[in-house]
Amino acid sequence: MKMGKINKWLILNCLLLVGSIINSAQPEHVSKEKNSVNTDPCIVENTAFQSGEYLTYKIFYNWNFIWLPAGEIHFEVIDDNDQYHYRVVGKTYDSYSWLYIVEDYFDSWVKKSDLLPRRSIKSIREGKYRLYDDLTFDQSNRRIYNERGKAIDDIRERHNFEVNSCMHDMVSILYYCRNIDFSESKIGEKLPIKIFADKETWPLSVTYKGKSPAKKIKGKGIYNTLQFSPEVIEGDLFPDDAQVNVWVTDDANKMPLVIESPLSVGSVKAVLKDFKNLRYDLSAQVND
C-alpha cells in the first residue's frame, strides 16, 4: 500500500473513527440489531458539551512497529443563535507536503433543541483530488438536497433524496453520541443510528464494551473511561476480524480520548492532544 493512500485515509476516516466510521455501514435494509441501546434518534438533550469547546487529536500511523505522526484533526463548537456550528479541520503535517497533502474541512449546523443537522458541508483536498459536498436537511419532510462538485463554484451534481427517518451527518452523529446515557447499558449492547453521506443512507452500529478504569493516555495522564467498538467491513483497509476501539472519558463530558484501529498494513490511532472550554471539570482524570 502506498504511503499517499494511507495518509489520505488517516485524516478523513479518523474523523469517523472518533464517533463512527462510515466504512462500517451495511446496506440500509439490514435488520435492526438485537440488544440495542434504547434511544430516540430524532431528539436528544445536549448535556455533554458547550459552545467554545475545542478538541485536537494527533493522528499516528504504525509502520514496522514505529508510530509515525501524520497529522491532526481539530473539532470546534461555535454558537450560532439557535444552532451549534460544528467545524472539523483535518490536515497532514507540513513535513508530509512533499509526499501528499491532505486538507479537509467539515462543517455542520444543528438545531440546539434536538441536535439534528440543518446543513452539512464537506470540502476535501487530498493530493489532486477535490470534492465539495453540500447537504441541506429538511428533517420534517424527510428530504435532503445535495449539491456536489469540485468546488463551491464548480457544482456538477444536484440531487434530491428521500429518507425514511430523521438523519444525521458524519459530524453531527459524533456529538449526538456523546449525549447518549449508557449508565444502564450492558456490555455488548449496540447503539444503532443512521447517517447520510456520499449520496447514501448508512446505519451505524457501535458496541458498548463497558468501563475501562485507569486508562493511560500518553502525555495526558490516567483516566477512567468508557470503551466502545464500531464495526468495520473486511476489505482493502481492514484485516479479517478487525476491531476498532474508542475510549471516552467516564464523566459528563464523554470526551473521546483515544481511537485505535488495525489496518491491512499497519495500524492507526488518534490521541487527544489538547482541549479547551469543556462544559464540566474533567473528573474522569485520575492524575495529571
Side-chain angles (χ1 to χ4, degrees):
M1 184 180 291
K2 295 181 180 180
M3 182 62 72
K5 184 175 181 180
I6 288 197
N7 285 341
K8 175 179 177 180
W9 186 88
L10 287 175
I11 298 299
L12 179 57
N13 280 2
C14 273
L15 162 62
L16 301 171
L17 284 172
V18 174
S20 62
I21 39 181
I22 197 170
N23 299 38
S24 71
Q26 300 287 333
E28 186 178 13
H29 65 267
V30 169
S31 60
K32 195 172 182 179
E33 296 279 359
K34 295 181 179 180
N35 300 321
S36 298
V37 177
N38 186 22
T39 62
D40 182 351
C42 294
I43 188 169
V44 68
E45 180 185 0
N46 174 30
T47 60
F49 62 88
Q50 65 180 355
S51 297
E53 182 187 84
Y54 193 91
L55 309 178
T56 299
Y57 295 86
K58 194 170 183 177
I59 310 304
F60 297 87
Y61 174 69
N62 188 284
W63 181 267
N64 291 331
F65 304 103
I66 299 175
W67 286 103
L68 304 173
E72 292 185 0
I73 302 177
H74 307 275
F75 294 80
E76 184 177 8
V77 180
I78 303 167
D79 188 87
D80 188 4
N81 297 316
D82 66 336
Q83 302 177 114
Y84 291 117
H85 173 192
Y86 306 142
R87 162 144 276 216
V88 182
V89 180
K91 295 182 180 182
T92 44
Y93 287 130
D94 291 342
S95 56
Y96 281 78
S97 60
W98 63 275
L99 179 64
Y100 198 85
I101 295 177
V102 172
E103 190 171 337
D104 295 345
Y105 295 88
F106 301 81
D107 290 275
S108 181
W109 290 263
V110 307
K111 291 179 65 175
K112 289 181 178 178
S113 59
D114 57 19
L115 299 189
L116 286 174
R118 291 176 171 176
R119 192 178 182 193
S120 174
I121 298 176
K122 177 170 58 178
S123 182
I124 303 296
R125 177 195 178 197
E126 297 173 353
K128 295 181 179 180
Y129 177 75
R130 301 288 187 275
L131 173 65
Y132 177 84
D133 191 7
D134 189 338
L135 300 172
T136 299
F137 293 78
D138 184 350
Q139 299 284 0
S140 60
N141 292 310
R142 304 290 191 258
R143 299 191 66 87
I144 297 174
Y145 178 68
N146 182 210
E147 293 186 345
R148 292 168 62 91
K150 296 291 185 180
I152 190 172
D153 57 355
D154 186 12
I155 300 300
R156 303 186 181 191
E157 300 178 44
R158 290 179 171 85
H159 304 280
N160 272 292
F161 297 98
E162 292 185 6
V163 293
N164 60 12
S165 63
C166 48
M167 199 63 55
H168 282 274
D169 61 45
M170 65 171 64
V171 175
S172 69
I173 194 65
L174 187 157
Y175 291 93
Y176 177 93
C177 288
R178 286 178 60 187
N179 284 282
I180 302 301
D181 182 7
F182 288 91
S183 61
E184 301 299 324
S185 299
K186 298 179 181 178
I187 294 175
E189 286 189 337
K190 296 180 183 295
L191 172 64
I193 299 175
K194 294 178 181 178
I195 65 173
F196 189 91
D198 295 327
K199 300 187 286 187
E200 295 187 57
T201 298
W202 304 85
L204 159 71
S205 181
V206 179
T207 302
Y208 174 62
K209 301 186 72 174
K211 293 179 180 289
S212 182
K215 172 73 175 176
K216 185 176 182 180
I217 310 300
K218 186 175 181 180
K220 289 296 177 182
I222 298 175
Y223 294 80
N224 291 325
T225 66
L226 303 175
Q227 185 178 355
F228 301 89
S229 180
E231 300 171 57
V232 297
I233 291 177
E234 299 169 6
D236 292 338
L237 283 174
F238 299 103
D240 294 350
D241 301 319
Q243 187 176 57
V244 176
N245 286 294
V246 180
W247 288 266
V248 307
T249 57
D250 186 8
D251 60 15
N253 297 292
K254 294 191 181 71
M255 177 176 61
L257 293 169
V258 179
I259 306 95
E260 296 180 352
S261 174
L263 301 176
S264 295
V265 179
S267 57
V268 64
K269 67 179 176 181
V271 181
L272 180 70
K273 179 182 178 182
D274 198 11
F275 59 87
K276 299 177 183 177
N277 299 322
L278 295 182
R279 183 166 180 171
Y280 308 100
D281 291 338
L282 201 53
S283 60
Q285 188 169 13
V286 177
N287 68 356
D288 296 329

